[in-house]
Amino acid sequence: MTYIGVAYRPELDGLFRGRDPAVDCTELIADRYFGTTGFSRAWELRRLQDIPVIIHGLCGNAASVHGPDPGYLAQIRRLADATGAIAYSDHLAFTCAQGRPLGHLAPNLFDDELLAAAKANIAAITGLTGRRPCLENLAVRTLISGSRYTPEEFILRLLEASDQWDCLLDLTNIWINSRNRAVDPVAFVDALPADRIGYVHLAGGILVHGEWVDSHSRAVHGEVFELLDHLLSRSSPLAVIIERDGNWPGAEAELREDLSRVRTIVAARSLAGTPP
Amino acid sequence: MGAVLTSHAARELVLRSAAEFTAHFDLSAQEAAALAAMAGDLAALTPGFVRKRERGLRAAMPVTWSVLASEAGKLAGDYLESRAPAASAALDALGFADYLVAAVSLLPDERQDKGVIVDVVRLERLRLLVSGTEWPLRPEPDEVPLDPRRIDPRRPLRLCPGAAVERFTFDVRTVRAGSPAEMRARLRPDQANLLCFQRPADGEVVVRRIDDESARTVKLIGLRTGAVTAAGLGEPGRSRLGKLVALGVIKGAGA
């Protein structure tokens, strides 16, 4: 079965509450809940305790020669254990250099050194969190000069190099990349091993000065739904999660429509089921 | 590369004088060459990263941003250049709040609304601190509900986690983002103890004005949590206890 949900934001609380929540599951930004004796924003965790959750980290530093911070991964494990998370994800990004966080999901110099480092990082993440991570592809406009691989080639190489991870496949990022760079979205989706698609992100972006930006502030694009339909013709991800981070007026209604559209696509591909 | 991505100044330095940048960060010749090759790419990435961080700071301290008006952007710019990003947006916002508390105290004394601005920044910092309060996922076993009308005098008392009280020169609770400067200028000095705490049920950060005796009671129970009883407070503090318990800021601890 495939869970269908929305990434949790307090502004969208109505989607998660009541007798008939609009979602089967949700995704929590892990870093907001970290603590030492308890948990920050514990009331949200209590409120969501009946909904299966996915823990989504921001600072795993998987695509960096510096690698993940063990203390950060210990926090991930603590949160995932406490919430009984059904999955854990982070980004295939450079987020921290020599103990100094960047505060952002940065692309990196995609070369063989980074490939080897990312493989080792994934092993460390798996060992320290006790979970098989799903790693998300970024929307990347600027490629770092000197890179041997495009971001898409790097992902495919890393899937071959390490079997300890799955893709958190952000279909909107793939579509946005295809608008900003020479990327064939369907060819890239087809090149990914069907059994390595952990779960899926969808969102709506905006066009700024002629370039698409993954702003998470609009309804999901029609082309992204088509890409989802294509993906589901060959893969059965654990979940499809819609992300929304802004433009709140009318967002809940827009998300209900998007959720309905996802349910229709998933049902048509015979993946729907009742959550256990 | 990390420094260039998060700092306009570092970006300018690597574009203007790669050799100086190389010396400053003690880079090897190979690292310097790689950085020079990617300088243009990093220059394209940096502004977006810095803007996003500034948006986070603005959202974390909206009232301060509003009362500082055009100075807010400059102070934020100084902060962004002088401090590397923190481990989380919440920690970055707290770092910015600490920075502003120090920075606004250096505003010219002749500025009419300086006192109000200082207190606005302090209150917004306090709200940020309290909003990061950690709570257990389930009620702690040694937490005892109290009836504010009938408090057992022998019951040890505890302060709600994260609760804090500070004394302000102005009662700045009424200052909102977008408050006109003339309205702020009309505020008169009015020494106020502002109690700030987070409701564990919904995360709402509550700010209440309390009198001096209540403030002393909160501070005493906070300092010696679980070791003070209502009987041990003495009459003036005991008389304020019911109201503090009703607010949810004082609870009973296991005997």
Side-chain angles (χ1 to χ4, degrees), chain A residues 34-43 45-47 59 82 94 97 100-109 142-145, chain B residues 1-2 5-6 37-38 41-42 44-45 49-50 52-53 84-87 131-138 198 200-203:
Chain A
F34 288 169
T36 48
T37 54
F39 294 93
S40 298
R41 309 175 76 93
W43 65 92
L45 299 178
R46 284 194 291 267
R47 195 177 285 169
C59 300
F94 170 35
R100 307 291 289 272
L102 304 186
H104 303 276
L105 305 167
N108 209 332
L109 186 75
T142 305
L143 303 183
I144 307 291
S145 296
Chain B
M1 181 168 161
L5 284 175
T6 56
M38 62 178 80
D41 311 321
L42 299 179
L45 283 168
F49 280 29
V50 177
K52 183 180 161 203
R53 191 175 167 210
S131 70
T133 302
E134 291 178 24
W135 297 93
L137 276 186
R138 284 152 203 89
Q198 189 176 42
D202 61 5

Side-chain angles (χ1 to χ4, degrees), chain A residues 168-240:
Chain A
L168 160 47
L169 198 63
D170 191 314
L171 292 176
T172 300
N173 285 350
I174 294 174
W175 179 75
I176 281 178
N177 286 337
S178 77
R179 294 283 151 152
N180 294 335
R181 293 189 283 115
V183 176
D184 181 334
V186 175
F188 176 57
V189 166
D190 285 346
L192 296 164
D195 60 350
R196 301 290 294 275
I197 309 299
Y199 73 105
V200 171
H201 267 176
L202 310 175
I206 53 173
L207 191 60
V208 180
H209 304 309
E211 285 191 322
W212 282 94
V213 176
D214 179 34
S215 60
H216 298 179
S217 62
R218 293 279 186 272
V220 177
H221 309 276
E223 296 92 329
V224 174
F225 281 120
E226 287 171 19
L227 210 48
L228 174 68
D229 186 46
H230 179 72
L231 174 76
L232 296 186
S233 70
R234 54 186 292 273
S235 179
S236 307
L238 172 70
V240 177

Side-chain angles (χ1 to χ4, degrees), chain A residues 89-275:
Chain A
S89 63
D90 207 300
H91 302 80
L92 205 47
F94 170 35
T95 59
C96 186
Q98 293 175 321
R100 307 291 289 272
L102 304 186
H104 303 276
L105 305 167
N108 209 332
L109 186 75
F110 294 115
D111 60 8
D112 287 318
E113 183 187 2
L114 186 65
L115 195 61
K119 181 182 174 185
N121 294 341
I122 290 168
I125 290 170
T126 304
L128 290 170
T129 63
R131 285 167 170 78
R132 181 180 177 86
C134 295
L135 297 174
E136 180 174 356
N137 54 302
L138 304 183
V140 182
R141 280 177 295 168
T142 305
L143 303 183
I144 307 291
S145 296
S147 288
R148 179 168 182 192
Y149 306 114
T150 66
E152 290 74 25
E153 288 167 346
F154 186 81
I155 290 169
L156 295 173
R157 293 249 171 195
L158 190 57
L159 282 165
E160 282 174 16
S162 167
D163 62 1
Q164 290 186 289
W165 70 289
D166 293 318
C167 296
L168 160 47
L169 198 63
D170 191 314
L171 292 176
T172 300
N173 285 350
I174 294 174
W175 179 75
I176 281 178
N177 286 337
S178 77
R179 294 283 151 152
N180 294 335
R181 293 189 283 115
V183 176
D184 181 334
V186 175
F188 176 57
V189 166
D190 285 346
L192 296 164
D195 60 350
R196 301 290 294 275
I197 309 299
Y199 73 105
V200 171
H201 267 176
L202 310 175
I206 53 173
L207 191 60
V208 180
H209 304 309
E211 285 191 322
W212 282 94
V213 176
D214 179 34
S215 60
H216 298 179
S217 62
R218 293 279 186 272
V220 177
H221 309 276
E223 296 92 329
V224 174
F225 281 120
E226 287 171 19
L227 210 48
L228 174 68
D229 186 46
H230 179 72
L231 174 76
L232 296 186
S233 70
R234 54 186 292 273
S235 179
S236 307
L238 172 70
V240 177
I241 300 287
I242 306 176
E243 299 178 288
R244 182 81 173 220
D245 289 332
N247 190 22
W248 300 117
E252 195 174 309
E254 219 163 55
L255 282 161
R256 284 182 189 276
E257 277 184 34
D258 282 349
L259 283 166
S260 168
R261 202 159 165 187
V262 173
R263 285 190 193 285
T264 303
I265 293 169
V266 169
R269 294 291 176 188
S270 303
L271 295 165
T274 307

Side-chain angles (χ1 to χ4, degrees), chain B residues 216-228:
Chain B
R216 267 194 291 277
T217 303
V218 167
K219 286 179 179 170
L220 177 65
I221 295 172
L223 277 173
R224 305 188 59 216
T225 203
V228 178

